[in-house]
Amino acid sequence: MQRAPEWEFDRAVAIRPAEAPGVFTGQIADGWDIGGNANGGYVLAMAVNAMRAASGRPDPITVTAHFLAPVAPGPVEIHTEIAKTGKRLVTVAGAMRREGRELLRMLGAFGDASAGAAMPSQLHGAPPELPPPHECVARSIVGGAVEVPLANRLQMLLHPDDAGVQADQPTGEGVVRGSFQFTDGREVDTLALVLACDSFPPSIFNLRDVPRGWVPTVELTVHVRGVPSPGPLRGRFQTRFVSGGAMEEDGQIWDSDDQLVALSRQYALVANPAA
Amino acid sequence: MQRAPEWEFDRAVAIRPAEAPGVFTGQIADGWDIGGNANGGYVLAMAVNAMRAASGRPDPITVTAHFLAPVAPGPVEIHTEIAKTGKRLVTVAGAMRREGRELLRMLGAFGDASAGAAMPSQLHGAPPELPPPHECVARSIVGGAVEVPLANRLQMLLHPDDAGVQADQPTGEGVVRGSFQFTDGREVDTLALVLACDSFPPSIFNLRDVPRGWVPTVELTVHVRGVPSPGPLRGRFQTRFVSGGAMEEDGQIWDSDDQLVALSRQYALVANPAA
């Protein structure tokens, strides 16, 4: 008999094998949502948890998801298919469904994120510099007119220079920097990096003259570049290009040893001011 | 009876429906290779051509591929599955195979890339500034010890400051800028953008002290941000982070009207100096 996981993130992303091979079931939990819809990073983390189990490898290395419908709390099925088992990577395709309805599609490669740790590295970039925690601004549990229960699960401290993003006081630079850790003290592993890459306030809202409103993610890709050291992570998210009713958001996640542990990019739709 | 396409790119990415629904066949052509293996951008363009046909929509919007094996010229099958048909986007999963062997897996969203052209845009970035063509350096048809027949199909002119990338004289900045058009005069459409995003010399080779050798792409994602205006395109590719035996390459493609038409990012493996 399995003991219930100690940490709330592990309980929230728990999956179990169904009878059909390659199929897993899970329960999208309450309290990881923004205005009633589960956070995309959280939902994807559960899907990745199932794909990782199917792969037999310890870590997601590069994972892409297409988000097909908002996900309310409740049961889901995750269907996985091994496309290729290689020496270094196992490639897995996946779909998350509820009562036959498509919620997410995924494609990912799984391996050992610590395998190359001894290889030479060059980082032409640096983690964001954050002031001491007491000078940072906590991620708000309300965002405009909607509640953000997700913010209770995470201890997110925003750089004070970027915090206008959540007060409708855009800086004019589409950048959001801040720190990320779990409220209950669970360390961030490579699975939780998927959540970290999609839980900051949207960097587009620090641009001026962009329509406010929901910016639904169409596609999110996360590259896991290393296993995070213990301690809070720092993230930097940026939107440079808003055009054609769409935008990108590029993310970097750095650990407490100043190592880059994840890159992310998403393609999202921008609210249509004419609609 | 269909007439043969006029342009060599269209002949090279041609697909036809097979008997089974959602399945297409194609012929990976000679002469789009680097050292005998077809260029990944070219192979993906054929796969995207099939997925686009399955979707019934005119343009790829965001497409991700995992590259599972090198692809030599010859016949392939492209299997497609519609995950969701939405108002704005159709989501398609796909696999390219040869004699049952997995070559590529794909996931993409298709729609009308010109649909949002009238919506407000903000570009916090600019196309690369290139000197006049006669001061640029042509993409070499040899790269180290391997031939690059691909370079005959494309008219690629590199910024002279970055051209050391193909002469083993790295600049120390992991950046490659240049222009891109087809040698035979075909205009670059949204399908050809997929090729454009994976045909420049790898930007990592403008970094110093990185191992030379094949840098196999594990995953490539292309966001199509607009329909290119006629004329040559300009690309800017950059690698900032080499770590854990891997790297990313970020690309921007701009058209002759200074509009951003594509963003790309790939996750690739770095040659292991100890191997």
Side-chain angles (χ1 to χ4, degrees):
Chain A
M1 200 174 125
Q2 286 185 313
R3 282 169 55 189
E6 183 178 3
W7 307 108
E8 58 183 14
F9 177 69
D10 296 293
R11 286 195 298 273
V13 300
I15 46 98
R16 58 170 62 197
E19 276 189 33
V23 181
F24 299 81
T25 59
Q27 282 281 340
I28 298 293
D30 272 320
W32 294 81
D33 60 305
I34 298 175
N37 293 321
N39 168 261
Y42 157 54
V43 174
L44 180 56
M46 179 190 283
V48 168
N49 196 22
M51 295 165 78
R52 184 179 65 168
S55 79
R57 301 292 170 95
D59 302 300
I61 301 296
T62 167
V63 174
T64 293
H66 282 236
F67 294 86
L68 306 179
V71 182
V76 291
E77 282 187 353
I78 302 128
H79 296 248
T80 68
E81 181 200 0
I82 306 291
K84 184 191 172 191
T85 299
K87 192 172 156 191
R88 180 160 172 170
L89 296 172
V90 174
T91 307
V92 183
M96 180 185 278
R97 301 188 183 116
R98 176 178 289 159
E99 293 173 356
R101 184 173 187 220
E102 295 269 351
L103 302 176
L104 264 74
R105 282 286 179 128
M106 297 80 67
L107 187 55
F110 294 79
D112 179 350
S114 65
M119 282 184 64
S121 79
Q122 284 190 40
L123 304 179
H124 296 264
E129 290 186 22
L130 300 177
H134 68 274
E135 293 176 22
C136 289
V137 177
R139 171 87 149 103
S140 177
I141 60 164
V142 290
V146 296
E147 289 190 24
V148 186
L150 173 71
N152 290 316
R153 308 290 181 167
L154 308 176
Q155 193 171 322
M156 296 181 69
L157 298 175
L158 304 183
H159 194 300
D161 292 352
D162 303 340
V165 72
Q166 60 183 6
D168 211 6
Q169 295 174 326
T171 60
E173 265 201 283
V175 172
V176 171
R177 296 160 293 174
S179 65
F180 175 101
Q181 57 189 324
F182 286 107
T183 305
D184 68 0
R186 182 194 190 277
E187 294 295 350
V188 177
D189 59 3
T190 56
L191 183 64
L193 283 175
V194 174
L195 170 65
C197 286
D198 194 37
S199 52
F200 283 73
S203 50
I204 187 177
F205 292 146
N206 259 339
L207 292 176
R208 295 203 185 90
D209 303 320
V210 292
R212 304 280 136 176
W214 191 40
V215 283
T217 303
V218 172
E219 176 260 321
L220 169 65
T221 295
V222 176
H223 297 178
V224 171
R225 297 296 297 267
V227 177
S229 295
L233 300 171
R234 285 157 294 166
R236 183 184 192 280
F237 293 85
Q238 182 166 23
T239 297
R240 288 174 297 176
F241 304 111
V242 180
S243 65
M247 60 136 175
E248 88 292 347
E249 181 173 289
D250 286 349
Q252 302 175 0
I253 306 276
W254 299 78
D255 73 6
S256 55
D257 286 336
D258 290 354
Q259 291 303 303
L260 178 80
V261 291
L263 287 181
S264 67
R265 174 173 280 172
Q266 64 171 266
Y267 177 99
L269 302 180
V270 175
N272 187 343
Chain B
M1 201 174 125
Q2 286 185 311
R3 281 168 55 190
E6 183 177 2
W7 307 107
E8 57 183 14
F9 177 69
D10 296 292
R11 287 195 297 274
V13 299
I15 45 98
R16 58 170 61 196
E19 277 188 33
V23 180
F24 299 82
T25 58
Q27 283 281 340
I28 297 294
D30 271 319
W32 294 81
D33 60 305
I34 298 174
N37 294 321
N39 168 261
Y42 158 55
V43 174
L44 179 57
M46 178 189 284
V48 167
N49 197 21
M51 295 165 78
R52 184 178 65 168
S55 79
R57 301 292 169 95
D59 303 299
I61 301 295
T62 167
V63 175
T64 293
H66 282 237
F67 294 85
L68 306 179
V71 181
V76 292
E77 283 187 352
I78 302 127
H79 296 249
T80 68
E81 180 201 0
I82 307 290
K84 183 191 173 190
T85 299
K87 192 172 157 191
R88 180 161 172 168
L89 297 172
V90 174
T91 307
V92 184
M96 180 184 278
R97 302 188 182 116
R98 176 177 289 159
E99 294 172 356
R101 184 174 187 221
E102 296 270 352
L103 302 176
L104 263 76
R105 282 287 179 128
M106 296 80 67
L107 187 56
F110 295 78
D112 180 350
S114 66
M119 282 183 65
S121 79
Q122 284 190 41
L123 304 179
H124 296 264
E129 290 185 22
L130 300 176
H134 68 272
E135 294 176 22
C136 289
V137 177
R139 171 86 148 103
S140 177
I141 59 165
V142 289
V146 296
E147 289 189 24
V148 186
L150 173 71
N152 289 318
R153 308 290 181 166
L154 308 176
Q155 193 170 322
M156 296 180 70
L157 299 174
L158 305 182
H159 194 299
D161 292 352
D162 304 338
V165 72
Q166 60 183 6
D168 211 6
Q169 295 174 328
T171 60
E173 266 201 283
V175 172
V176 171
R177 294 161 294 174
S179 66
F180 174 101
Q181 57 190 323
F182 286 107
T183 305
D184 67 0
R186 181 194 190 278
E187 294 295 350
V188 177
D189 59 3
T190 56
L191 183 64
L193 283 176
V194 173
L195 171 65
C197 287
D198 193 38
S199 52
F200 283 74
S203 49
I204 187 178
F205 292 146
N206 259 338
L207 292 176
R208 295 203 186 90
D209 304 320
V210 292
R212 303 280 135 176
W214 192 39
V215 283
T217 303
V218 172
E219 176 259 321
L220 169 65
T221 296
V222 176
H223 297 178
V224 171
R225 298 296 297 267
V227 177
S229 296
L233 301 171
R234 286 157 292 166
R236 182 183 191 281
F237 294 85
Q238 182 166 22
T239 297
R240 288 175 298 177
F241 304 112
V242 180
S243 64
M247 61 136 176
E248 88 292 347
E249 182 174 288
D250 285 351
Q252 302 175 0
I253 306 276
W254 298 79
D255 73 7
S256 55
D257 286 336
D258 290 354
Q259 291 302 305
L260 179 80
V261 291
L263 287 182
S264 67
R265 174 174 279 171
Q266 64 172 264
Y267 176 98
L269 302 180
V270 175
N272 188 344

